[in-house]
Amino acid sequence: MLPELLRAMGRGLRQPAEQAEILEAIRDAAGLSPAQQLAVYRSSLTAGMARALAYSYPICQRLVGENFFLALATSFVHNHPSRSPDLNDYGADFADFLRDFEPARSLPYLPDVARLEWLWQSVFSARNTRPLTLAALARISEARRERLQLRLLPASGLLASPFPVHRIWAVNQDGYAGDPTVDLAEGAVRLIVWRTGMNMRMQALNAAEWALLEAIGAGQTLTAVCGQIAEGFPQTELAALLAGAIASGWMTASRGHRR
């Protein structure tokens, strides 16, 4: 009975039109009818979830203002119930919601700013893994090196946007003292966000670096990665590109399997 009651409670909180079933289980209290009690709880829950979104997306809130953000956050909460007991998980699809939120269409870069904010939060919370180093790679035999399977560091992530979202993100940080102007004509950017210890970092990537990290993100062997991006790159340039990515601490590696 309790699981059914909890499910009915969830439906009633999300959709007032479906609250009849749970109202039968609520008694009058403190001069409030069951419907009034449920409305108070619904309002409190919505406000709490909206505050959680503001905590995860402070730059988005700064860009649109607190009142507008509260309105769009409330709309998101009503249409996207939490599916995790951890409130830190809530809002993963907020960027997709912003993309389709008609009142925010005048800010076409807003969804990608949200994606960057969520990526930053996700990287900060990711597990620590020791990155591959050039010294460690040099100690691996050539035969084993060919089967070495490369992966991006768990505490890292990639983001591409047609807008200079890294600049939008930077100028809206607390304490920023530089020129707050962002020219959207700066155009597209490819980013990696990663964490070293407790230090969060972000860097814009060129086309070659992006191609390399995309290939590594697919979990391929070192040989396959080099083969995939070798076209158009001299061997020395490819080696320097790979060495730079390893030196930056962007990847980890494990021994591949024999076929």
Side-chain angles (χ1 to χ4, degrees):
M1 295 239 345
L2 182 58
E4 289 79 5
L5 189 62
L6 290 175
R7 283 192 287 269
M9 181 73 169
R11 290 192 296 271
L13 288 172
R14 293 193 301 271
Q15 300 293 337
E18 299 183 18
Q19 66 183 15
E21 183 179 356
I22 190 62
L23 290 180
E24 297 177 0
I26 301 177
R27 299 178 181 178
D28 290 347
L32 297 177
S33 69
Q36 289 172 322
Q37 293 178 62
L38 194 61
V40 169
Y41 192 80
R42 182 185 298 116
S43 177
S44 177
L45 178 64
T46 299
M49 302 297 276
R51 284 194 298 271
L53 287 173
Y55 180 80
S56 296
Y57 297 99
I59 305 304
C60 287
Q61 178 175 256
R62 179 169 292 185
L63 289 170
V64 302
E66 290 187 12
N67 291 336
F68 187 87
F69 188 88
L70 177 60
L72 67 86
T74 299
S75 179
F76 178 83
V77 170
H78 286 164
N79 292 282
H80 296 79
S82 176
R83 303 188 184 281
S84 168
D86 187 350
L87 200 56
N88 291 321
D89 295 335
Y90 188 63
D93 48 355
F94 189 58
D96 292 336
F97 168 81
L98 290 176
R99 180 194 60 204
D100 300 326
F101 191 66
E102 189 62 36
R105 287 296 177 92
S106 62
L107 301 175
Y109 51 82
L110 193 62
D112 281 352
V113 173
R115 290 187 178 91
L116 178 54
E117 291 202 87
W118 188 260
L119 176 59
W120 188 273
Q121 176 176 291
S122 299
V123 168
F124 182 79
S125 303
R127 63 184 174 88
N128 287 316
T129 301
R130 182 176 299 178
L132 176 67
T133 64
L134 291 171
L137 184 63
R139 291 194 295 268
I140 300 173
S141 68
E142 185 174 347
R144 285 181 55 201
R145 199 178 303 165
E146 291 179 355
R147 300 192 304 273
L148 201 64
Q149 193 163 25
L150 302 178
R151 296 188 183 278
L152 290 179
L153 211 63
S156 71
L158 303 175
L159 175 68
S161 172
F163 306 102
V165 289
H166 61 316
R167 287 274 300 131
I168 298 172
W169 185 90
V171 304
N172 283 283
Q173 295 296 312
D174 290 334
Y176 180 81
D179 182 0
T181 304
V182 177
D183 184 1
L184 294 183
E186 290 179 29
V189 67
R190 304 178 185 92
L191 302 170
I192 181 170
V193 175
W194 80 104
R195 177 169 52 80
T196 303
M198 294 302 293
N199 298 317
M200 293 290 296
R201 301 182 181 183
M202 176 166 54
Q203 181 174 316
L205 303 170
N206 59 37
E209 291 169 331
W210 179 263
L212 174 67
L213 295 183
E214 273 200 314
I216 291 170
Q220 301 186 63
T221 63
L222 176 59
T223 301
V225 167
C226 292
Q228 181 173 325
I229 67 170
E231 185 177 350
F233 289 96
Q235 191 68 28
T236 54
E237 186 175 339
L238 180 58
L241 186 65
L242 183 62
I246 294 173
S248 296
W250 291 340
M251 66 186 76
T252 185
S254 60
R255 185 185 300 183
H257 299 290
R258 292 181 183 273
R259 298 195 177 192

